[in-house]
Amino acid sequence: MPGLPAPPRADPANPYAQNPYTSAQGGPAYGGPYTSPPGQPYGMLHSGGGGSGRNTKRKAIVIGAAVAVLLAAGGGVYAAVSGGDDDKKPTAASTSTPAGRNRQDPTPEPTGSGESAGGHDRGESESDPNDVRRAGEAKVLYQTPAPEVSKKGVDVPGFWVMNGYVVKAVEDKIVAYKDDGTRKWALSLPKAVCAAPNSTTDGKVVVAYEGHGKDSCSQLALIDLDKGVKVWDHDAPEAGSFGGGYTSMGMAQSGDLVGMSWFGGSAVIKVHDGKEVAIEKPSPGCSVDGYAGGKALLRAYSCTNGTAKLQKVAPNGTITWAYVVRKGYKVDKIFSTSPVVIALSDQDRKTGGILAISDSGKERSALAVGNQSYQPLCGTDLFGTNAGSCQGVAASNDTFYLPTEMTQDSAKGPTSEIHAFDLDSGKRKWTAKVAGRMLLPLSVDGKNLIAYEEPSYGQAGLVVSISPEGGKPKTVLRLPQATREAESGFYSATHTYRNGNFYIASNRITGTEGTSEKLIMAFGS
């Protein structure tokens, strides 16, 4: 966070040690559980980057013993919400520095999967980690070096997993890679992609790229992800723009609709032609906080008088239902759009809770999170325009899965857990625990939860399956020890498991000299 001293690096001998920097009130300034001091009953919200051996950005939902609970009108419990910066500023871990990249085409071919991906655009090629693959380890399908970027610390939003290939945006290029490591297509845009939704529609996605003004994310383009062509390209709608800028653009796509919100404005457009949809505008003194997409399009907005709503937007742009949030609170994050699971916070983002909302827009349950800290990966959202941007959570029709923060177990040392909550009752159904590494939900496969055990300081990561009853995770993919450093070296990344393959794609390229960051890593059985 600006204005705060740089946090120290984690102690390699004790990577999960508490950060020695603490706030004036006695709580950790860079993350972990925050216990409220006397006379100040609610936790504090911070945002920031990865730590505890992790290189992804986290936001913790912290429930401490000293934090007061708020009773909902329906008798549910709202728990206090807090977030935190972890204590390690990440750097990409590598053994060599890529050389010979072509600045005109900053998307080098993948390496590490034989002749089909053998570093054709580079002055030197990396050795194939499959040559030293151990028994039982997954195969490295390919690993794509991060390209040279225009400046240090560049966000590179936009990653989509398709059937047999993936698509990644990086600055002004969008590139598709087949699962055999070869390039499927590459497309150039006039300027860098600055915002993109997570979901697609019939293999097409609307992205935003930089406009003419400073920090203006004002140009839109529809990309056909199969053919690698731009279908249409034009300016973002001007309705509600604050001072003509499009700062901190957030995007969500569902069906033929794209919801966009930025600092000072919002709009909904059609995917197929980019035309703006006439949607009910918030009342005077109210503004849209963000959209979330996927199976449904949800809109959150709040007002200066302390009121707020969550709305479901129909395909024609009308409002299907509206959930009225308890006064003084607003929708902070939308974890899932179907089933609907949201996190609330007060206007200062200090307290709140986690709710499930029914298909008719009624409160389904308030999750009984109790005296526990949870850490979904929600990144940094300074203006609150990316309501649906969280990773590290998963939902089925009747269950919601949340990861806890890393805690110290007296017998097993540092451990993390996934808690499964019944969406009808809000009660916890089961717990899965691992020692020595973070455990993050990825998706639901049938009745089983698929999760990612992040790499530790000595072991590579795992993709695991957890049964509906919880218990010990069963290994699905054991990632190679040869790529552990690269796996750990992402500053912030998207993790996706689909059709037996596991992908890690960078969300931010640091551009740190002397390192070899990766853009994408792909693993298969």
Side-chain angles (χ1 to χ4, degrees):
M1 293 179 63
L4 293 177
R9 294 189 179 275
D11 179 359
N14 184 14
Y16 304 106
Q18 181 116 8
N19 190 325
Y21 285 129
T22 57
S23 69
Q25 291 87 2
Y30 293 100
Y34 184 96
T35 301
S36 303
Q40 194 173 350
Y42 305 122
M44 296 181 67
L45 179 68
H46 307 280
S47 61
S52 298
R54 307 191 64 256
N55 293 325
T56 48
K57 298 179 181 180
R58 276 196 179 278
K59 172 182 156 181
I61 297 178
V62 177
I63 297 88
V67 178
V69 295
L70 305 175
L71 295 180
V77 175
Y78 291 83
V81 175
S82 177
D85 295 322
D86 293 318
D87 53 359
K88 180 183 176 184
K89 286 295 182 184
T91 57
S94 173
T95 56
S96 63
T97 302
R101 293 180 188 162
N102 183 349
R103 188 65 189 94
Q104 299 302 314
D105 183 8
T107 51
E109 293 281 355
T111 63
S113 59
E115 296 180 359
S116 64
H120 308 299
D121 291 349
R122 308 170 66 218
E124 60 181 73
S125 61
E126 296 179 355
S127 61
D128 189 341
N130 292 317
D131 293 340
V132 292
R133 183 161 57 119
R134 302 175 182 178
E137 291 184 341
K139 180 181 179 180
V140 180
L141 302 178
Y142 59 87
Q143 47 183 340
T144 308
E148 290 186 358
V149 288
S150 58
K151 59 183 179 181
K152 291 186 177 180
V154 173
D155 289 329
V156 286
F159 179 65
W160 305 276
V161 178
M162 313 302 289
N163 289 324
Y165 65 100
V166 302
V167 182
K168 182 76 185 85
V170 52
E171 293 208 293
D172 61 349
K173 298 290 189 296
I174 303 177
V175 185
Y177 297 101
K178 297 179 182 179
D179 283 343
D180 64 5
T182 59
R183 184 182 295 180
K184 179 178 172 67
W185 54 259
L187 174 68
S188 295
L189 293 176
K191 291 188 178 181
V193 173
C194 46
N198 299 324
S199 55
T200 65
T201 302
D202 297 328
K204 298 179 177 65
V205 67
V206 178
V207 301
Y209 64 92
E210 295 174 356
H212 302 293
K214 182 180 180 182
D215 298 326
S216 179
C217 190
S218 61
Q219 303 300 121
L220 304 177
L222 176 63
I223 309 300
D224 186 317
L225 298 180
D226 178 48
K227 300 177 181 178
V229 297
K230 185 168 54 176
V231 180
W232 55 254
D233 187 330
H234 56 64
D235 295 344
E238 297 181 359
S241 177
F242 180 76
Y246 295 81
T247 302
S248 190
M249 174 73 79
M251 302 180 71
Q253 184 168 318
S254 177
D256 195 34
L257 296 180
V258 176
M260 302 180 295
S261 56
W262 58 91
F263 179 58
S266 65
V268 175
I269 64 169
K270 291 283 189 180
V271 170
H272 73 275
D273 60 10
K275 292 183 179 179
E276 187 173 6
V277 177
I279 186 172
E280 175 187 306
K281 296 185 180 298
S283 304
C286 306
S287 61
V288 173
D289 294 319
Y291 289 86
K295 295 180 180 179
L297 185 65
L298 300 182
R299 180 175 79 164
Y301 78 81
S302 57
C303 309
T304 55
N305 64 1
T307 61
K309 289 182 180 180
L310 175 72
Q311 300 173 320
K312 182 176 181 179
V313 183
N316 62 0
T318 61
I319 303 300
T320 302
W321 52 253
Y323 172 74
V324 179
V325 179
R326 179 181 176 177
K327 189 170 184 179
Y329 292 82
K330 68 175 185 177
V331 177
D332 184 48
K333 292 297 177 184
I334 302 173
F335 293 135
S336 173
T337 61
S338 181
V340 180
V341 183
I342 60 175
L344 303 182
S345 70
D346 66 4
Q347 297 298 316
D348 295 323
R349 304 184 73 184
K350 292 182 179 179
T351 67
I354 304 176
L355 299 180
I357 307 299
S358 71
D359 292 337
S360 60
K362 306 296 182 182
E363 185 174 319
R364 185 175 176 183
S365 67
L367 301 194
V369 289
N371 184 19
Q372 178 66 58
S373 298
Y374 294 97
Q375 288 195 324
L377 304 181
C378 295
T380 301
D381 186 11
L382 295 179
F383 296 104
T385 54
N386 281 293
S389 61
C390 295
Q391 295 187 75
V393 296
S396 65
N397 290 334
D398 58 5
T399 309
F400 182 62
Y401 306 91
L402 267 176
T404 69
E405 64 158 359
M406 186 73 75
T407 58
Q408 190 71 24
D409 185 285
S410 58
K412 298 183 178 181
T415 62
S416 69
E417 302 175 0
I418 289 176
H419 292 174
F421 292 90
D422 187 299
L423 290 178
D424 291 319
S425 67
K427 295 180 180 179
R428 190 193 304 180
K429 298 171 66 174
W430 54 256
T431 296
K433 179 185 294 188
V434 297
R437 60 176 88 209
M438 287 298 304
L439 181 61
L440 294 173
L442 292 176
S443 59
V444 178
D445 182 11
K447 295 183 178 180
N448 294 336
L449 174 69
I450 302 299
Y452 175 43
E453 291 189 20
E454 294 184 333
S456 66
Y457 277 82
Q459 298 295 323
L462 301 170
V463 178
V464 299
S465 177
I466 305 173
S467 75
E469 293 76 30
K472 185 178 180 180
K474 178 182 178 181
T475 299
V476 175
L477 283 179
R478 183 180 302 277
L479 304 189
Q481 193 69 12
T483 56
R484 183 194 63 81
E485 287 191 23
E487 182 191 355
S488 302
F490 289 87
Y491 178 86
S492 173
T494 296
H495 306 88
T496 305
Y497 178 79
R498 181 171 176 177
N499 296 332
N501 293 338
F502 181 58
Y503 307 91
I504 308 175
S506 179
N507 297 326
R508 184 176 177 85
I509 298 174
T510 66
T512 304
E513 295 183 4
T515 62
S516 180
E517 298 178 81
K518 303 300 180 186
L519 182 66
I520 305 173
M521 298 184 73
F523 305 90
S525 57

mmCIF file of all heavy atoms in Angstrom, residues 191-220:
data_model
loop_
_atom_site.group_PDB
_atom_site.id
_atom_site.type_symbol
_atom_site.label_atom_id
_atom_site.label_comp_id
_atom_site.label_asym_id
_atom_site.label_seq_id
_atom_site.Cartn_x
_atom_site.Cartn_y
_atom_site.Cartn_z
ATOM 1 N N LYS A 191 -3.887 -0.758 -28.823
ATOM 2 C CA LYS A 191 -3.219 -0.492 -27.551
ATOM 3 C C LYS A 191 -3.465 -1.655 -26.591
ATOM 4 O O LYS A 191 -4.123 -2.633 -26.945
ATOM 5 C CB LYS A 191 -3.711 0.828 -26.945
ATOM 6 C CG LYS A 191 -3.276 2.059 -27.727
ATOM 7 C CD LYS A 191 -3.618 3.348 -26.982
ATOM 8 C CE LYS A 191 -3.130 4.564 -27.745
ATOM 9 N NZ LYS A 191 -3.437 5.836 -27.017
ATOM 10 N N ALA A 192 -2.955 -1.541 -25.383
ATOM 11 C CA ALA A 192 -2.950 -2.655 -24.437
ATOM 12 C C ALA A 192 -4.334 -2.946 -23.871
ATOM 13 O O ALA A 192 -5.094 -2.030 -23.545
ATOM 14 C CB ALA A 192 -1.979 -2.366 -23.298
ATOM 15 N N VAL A 193 -4.642 -4.230 -23.714
ATOM 16 C CA VAL A 193 -5.860 -4.666 -23.035
ATOM 17 C C VAL A 193 -5.763 -4.253 -21.573
ATOM 18 O O VAL A 193 -4.781 -4.537 -20.889
ATOM 19 C CB VAL A 193 -6.043 -6.189 -23.156
ATOM 20 C CG1 VAL A 193 -7.217 -6.668 -22.296
ATOM 21 C CG2 VAL A 193 -6.247 -6.592 -24.609
ATOM 22 N N CYS A 194 -6.795 -3.559 -21.074
ATOM 23 C CA CYS A 194 -6.773 -3.056 -19.702
ATOM 24 C C CYS A 194 -7.887 -3.643 -18.835
ATOM 25 O O CYS A 194 -7.889 -3.455 -17.617
ATOM 26 C CB CYS A 194 -6.851 -1.529 -19.682
ATOM 27 S SG CYS A 194 -8.105 -0.837 -20.784
ATOM 28 N N ALA A 195 -8.834 -4.360 -19.432
ATOM 29 C CA ALA A 195 -9.888 -5.017 -18.666
ATOM 30 C C ALA A 195 -10.495 -6.111 -19.528
ATOM 31 O O ALA A 195 -10.548 -5.996 -20.753
ATOM 32 C CB ALA A 195 -10.969 -4.029 -18.236
ATOM 33 N N ALA A 196 -10.952 -7.176 -18.860
ATOM 34 C CA ALA A 196 -11.548 -8.291 -19.593
ATOM 35 C C ALA A 196 -12.387 -9.118 -18.639
ATOM 36 O O ALA A 196 -12.036 -9.282 -17.463
ATOM 37 C CB ALA A 196 -10.462 -9.163 -20.219
ATOM 38 N N PRO A 197 -13.514 -9.667 -19.107
ATOM 39 C CA PRO A 197 -14.326 -10.551 -18.267
ATOM 40 C C PRO A 197 -13.703 -11.939 -18.184
ATOM 41 O O PRO A 197 -12.852 -12.308 -19.008
ATOM 42 C CB PRO A 197 -15.666 -10.589 -19.002
ATOM 43 C CG PRO A 197 -15.319 -10.316 -20.432
ATOM 44 C CD PRO A 197 -14.118 -9.412 -20.409
ATOM 45 N N ASN A 198 -14.142 -12.723 -17.190
ATOM 46 C CA ASN A 198 -13.622 -14.077 -17.019
ATOM 47 C C ASN A 198 -14.317 -15.080 -17.926
ATOM 48 O O ASN A 198 -13.738 -16.101 -18.285
ATOM 49 C CB ASN A 198 -13.786 -14.523 -15.562
ATOM 50 C CG ASN A 198 -13.023 -13.646 -14.599
ATOM 51 O OD1 ASN A 198 -11.934 -13.182 -14.919
ATOM 52 N ND2 ASN A 198 -13.594 -13.399 -13.424
ATOM 53 N N SER A 199 -15.576 -14.829 -18.276
ATOM 54 C CA SER A 199 -16.369 -15.796 -19.033
ATOM 55 C C SER A 199 -16.520 -15.361 -20.482
ATOM 56 O O SER A 199 -16.277 -14.206 -20.847
ATOM 57 C CB SER A 199 -17.749 -15.958 -18.382
ATOM 58 O OG SER A 199 -18.387 -14.703 -18.252
ATOM 59 N N THR A 200 -16.941 -16.303 -21.327
ATOM 60 C CA THR A 200 -17.111 -16.059 -22.749
ATOM 61 C C THR A 200 -18.530 -16.425 -23.169
ATOM 62 O O THR A 200 -19.285 -17.039 -22.419
ATOM 63 C CB THR A 200 -16.114 -16.884 -23.574
ATOM 64 O OG1 THR A 200 -16.410 -18.281 -23.411
ATOM 65 C CG2 THR A 200 -14.691 -16.631 -23.130
ATOM 66 N N THR A 201 -18.893 -16.069 -24.390
ATOM 67 C CA THR A 201 -20.197 -16.404 -24.961
ATOM 68 C C THR A 201 -19.982 -17.014 -26.335
ATOM 69 O O THR A 201 -19.526 -16.324 -27.255
ATOM 70 C CB THR A 201 -21.073 -15.145 -25.089
ATOM 71 O OG1 THR A 201 -21.227 -14.534 -23.801
ATOM 72 C CG2 THR A 201 -22.441 -15.496 -25.640
ATOM 73 N N ASP A 202 -20.277 -18.307 -26.463
ATOM 74 C CA ASP A 202 -20.107 -18.991 -27.753
ATOM 75 C C ASP A 202 -18.715 -18.761 -28.337
ATOM 76 O O ASP A 202 -18.544 -18.546 -29.547
ATOM 77 C CB ASP A 202 -21.172 -18.524 -28.759
ATOM 78 C CG ASP A 202 -22.587 -18.864 -28.311
ATOM 79 O OD1 ASP A 202 -22.766 -19.897 -27.648
ATOM 80 O OD2 ASP A 202 -23.506 -18.083 -28.616
ATOM 81 N N GLY A 203 -17.711 -18.794 -27.465
ATOM 82 C CA GLY A 203 -16.339 -18.630 -27.935
ATOM 83 C C GLY A 203 -15.952 -17.213 -28.276
ATOM 84 O O GLY A 203 -14.920 -16.989 -28.930
ATOM 85 N N LYS A 204 -16.714 -16.251 -27.822
ATOM 86 C CA LYS A 204 -16.401 -14.842 -28.086
ATOM 87 C C LYS A 204 -16.370 -14.068 -26.778
ATOM 88 O O LYS A 204 -17.114 -14.374 -25.842
ATOM 89 C CB LYS A 204 -17.418 -14.225 -29.047
ATOM 90 C CG LYS A 204 -17.460 -14.882 -30.432
ATOM 91 C CD LYS A 204 -18.500 -14.225 -31.311
ATOM 92 C CE LYS A 204 -18.504 -14.827 -32.710
ATOM 93 N NZ LYS A 204 -18.917 -16.249 -32.708
ATOM 94 N N VAL A 205 -15.541 -13.042 -26.725
ATOM 95 C CA VAL A 205 -15.411 -12.246 -25.507
ATOM 96 C C VAL A 205 -15.167 -10.784 -25.872
ATOM 97 O O VAL A 205 -14.475 -10.481 -26.857
ATOM 98 C CB VAL A 205 -14.262 -12.784 -24.623
ATOM 99 C CG1 VAL A 205 -12.896 -12.586 -25.280
ATOM 100 C CG2 VAL A 205 -14.279 -12.144 -23.244
ATOM 101 N N VAL A 206 -15.736 -9.889 -25.071
ATOM 102 C CA VAL A 206 -15.521 -8.451 -25.242
ATOM 103 C C VAL A 206 -14.399 -8.019 -24.301
ATOM 104 O O VAL A 206 -14.449 -8.303 -23.101
ATOM 105 C CB VAL A 206 -16.791 -7.649 -24.930
ATOM 106 C CG1 VAL A 206 -16.520 -6.150 -25.067
ATOM 107 C CG2 VAL A 206 -17.921 -8.059 -25.878
ATOM 108 N N VAL A 207 -13.391 -7.365 -24.835
ATOM 109 C CA VAL A 207 -12.300 -6.849 -24.014
ATOM 110 C C VAL A 207 -12.261 -5.331 -24.138
ATOM 111 O O VAL A 207 -12.768 -4.753 -25.109
ATOM 112 C CB VAL A 207 -10.929 -7.439 -24.418
ATOM 113 C CG1 VAL A 207 -10.946 -8.953 -24.301
ATOM 114 C CG2 VAL A 207 -10.533 -7.008 -25.832
ATOM 115 N N ALA A 208 -11.667 -4.683 -23.157
ATOM 116 C CA ALA A 208 -11.445 -3.238 -23.209
ATOM 117 C C ALA A 208 -9.953 -2.983 -23.356
ATOM 118 O O ALA A 208 -9.136 -3.656 -22.728
ATOM 119 C CB ALA A 208 -11.980 -2.572 -21.946
ATOM 120 N N TYR A 209 -9.607 -2.021 -24.202
ATOM 121 C CA TYR A 209 -8.200 -1.656 -24.316
ATOM 122 C C TYR A 209 -8.054 -0.141 -24.169
ATOM 123 O O TYR A 209 -9.046 0.594 -24.152
ATOM 124 C CB TYR A 209 -7.578 -2.174 -25.616
ATOM 125 C CG TYR A 209 -8.135 -1.627 -26.907
ATOM 126 C CD1 TYR A 209 -7.582 -0.507 -27.517
ATOM 127 C CD2 TYR A 209 -9.202 -2.260 -27.552
ATOM 128 C CE1 TYR A 209 -8.073 -0.011 -28.722
ATOM 129 C CE2 TYR A 209 -9.701 -1.790 -28.754
ATOM 130 C CZ TYR A 209 -9.143 -0.667 -29.326
ATOM 131 O OH TYR A 209 -9.627 -0.184 -30.509
ATOM 132 N N GLU A 210 -6.823 0.297 -24.024
ATOM 133 C CA GLU A 210 -6.543 1.684 -23.672
ATOM 134 C C GLU A 210 -7.042 2.650 -24.739
ATOM 135 O O GLU A 210 -6.892 2.406 -25.939
ATOM 136 C CB GLU A 210 -5.050 1.881 -23.449
ATOM 137 C CG GLU A 210 -4.507 1.117 -22.253
ATOM 138 C CD GLU A 210 -3.002 1.212 -22.143
ATOM 139 O OE1 GLU A 210 -2.376 1.806 -23.051
ATOM 140 O OE2 GLU A 210 -2.442 0.688 -21.159
ATOM 141 N N GLY A 211 -7.615 3.768 -24.257
ATOM 142 C CA GLY A 211 -8.089 4.818 -25.156
ATOM 143 C C GLY A 211 -7.068 5.913 -25.325
ATOM 144 O O GLY A 211 -5.868 5.708 -25.146
ATOM 145 N N HIS A 212 -7.552 7.104 -25.595
ATOM 146 C CA HIS A 212 -6.655 8.214 -25.906
ATOM 147 C C HIS A 212 -6.163 8.934 -24.653
ATOM 148 O O HIS A 212 -5.040 9.407 -24.607
ATOM 149 C CB HIS A 212 -7.357 9.204 -26.834
ATOM 150 C CG HIS A 212 -7.830 8.575 -28.109
ATOM 151 N ND1 HIS A 212 -6.965 8.094 -29.064
ATOM 152 C CD2 HIS A 212 -9.082 8.339 -28.575
ATOM 153 C CE1 HIS A 212 -7.653 7.587 -30.075
ATOM 154 N NE2 HIS A 212 -8.946 7.729 -29.814
ATOM 155 N N GLY A 213 -7.004 9.029 -23.625
ATOM 156 C CA GLY A 213 -6.606 9.761 -22.435
ATOM 157 C C GLY A 213 -5.793 8.933 -21.469
ATOM 158 O O GLY A 213 -5.739 7.698 -21.551
ATOM 159 N N LYS A 214 -5.152 9.591 -20.529
ATOM 160 C CA LYS A 214 -4.366 8.903 -19.527
ATOM 161 C C LYS A 214 -5.284 8.069 -18.640
ATOM 162 O O LYS A 214 -6.321 8.530 -18.187
ATOM 163 C CB LYS A 214 -3.598 9.933 -18.672
ATOM 164 C CG LYS A 214 -2.705 9.291 -17.614
ATOM 165 C CD LYS A 214 -1.975 10.352 -16.808
ATOM 166 C CE LYS A 214 -1.093 9.705 -15.747
ATOM 167 N NZ LYS A 214 -0.401 10.728 -14.925
ATOM 168 N N ASP A 215 -4.901 6.821 -18.394
ATOM 169 C CA ASP A 215 -5.660 5.889 -17.554
ATOM 170 C C ASP A 215 -7.075 5.669 -18.091
ATOM 171 O O ASP A 215 -7.979 5.320 -17.334
ATOM 172 C CB ASP A 215 -5.739 6.387 -16.107
ATOM 173 C CG ASP A 215 -4.375 6.504 -15.462
ATOM 174 O OD1 ASP A 215 -3.513 5.674 -15.780
ATOM 175 O OD2 ASP A 215 -4.176 7.434 -14.667
ATOM 176 N N SER A 216 -7.285 5.875 -19.367
ATOM 177 C CA SER A 216 -8.607 5.703 -19.950
ATOM 178 C C SER A 216 -8.713 4.332 -20.607
ATOM 179 O O SER A 216 -8.047 4.050 -21.598
ATOM 180 C CB SER A 216 -8.883 6.791 -20.989
ATOM 181 O OG SER A 216 -10.167 6.614 -21.565
ATOM 182 N N CYS A 217 -9.553 3.482 -20.038
ATOM 183 C CA CYS A 217 -9.777 2.134 -20.563
ATOM 184 C C CYS A 217 -11.095 2.180 -21.336
ATOM 185 O O CYS A 217 -12.107 1.626 -20.906
ATOM 186 C CB CYS A 217 -9.830 1.143 -19.404
ATOM 187 S SG CYS A 217 -9.822 -0.591 -19.869
ATOM 188 N N SER A 218 -11.096 2.854 -22.495
ATOM 189 C CA SER A 218 -12.345 3.292 -23.113
ATOM 190 C C SER A 218 -12.666 2.677 -24.464
ATOM 191 O O SER A 218 -13.690 2.993 -25.053
ATOM 192 C CB SER A 218 -12.328 4.815 -23.266
ATOM 193 O OG SER A 218 -11.245 5.212 -24.103
ATOM 194 N N GLN A 219 -11.818 1.802 -24.979
ATOM 195 C CA GLN A 219 -12.083 1.192 -26.279
ATOM 196 C C GLN A 219 -12.502 -0.267 -26.089
ATOM 197 O O GLN A 219 -11.921 -0.980 -25.259
ATOM 198 C CB GLN A 219 -10.846 1.261 -27.171
ATOM 199 C CG GLN A 219 -10.325 2.666 -27.382
ATOM 200 C CD GLN A 219 -11.347 3.574 -28.033
ATOM 201 O OE1 GLN A 219 -11.736 4.592 -27.479
ATOM 202 N NE2 GLN A 219 -11.819 3.186 -29.220
ATOM 203 N N LEU A 220 -13.479 -0.721 -26.848
ATOM 204 C CA LEU A 220 -14.008 -2.075 -26.722
ATOM 205 C C LEU A 220 -13.838 -2.835 -28.030
ATOM 206 O O LEU A 220 -13.927 -2.261 -29.111
ATOM 207 C CB LEU A 220 -15.486 -2.047 -26.344
ATOM 208 C CG LEU A 220 -15.867 -1.291 -25.071
ATOM 209 C CD1 LEU A 220 -17.379 -1.293 -24.894
ATOM 210 C CD2 LEU A 220 -15.181 -1.909 -23.858
#
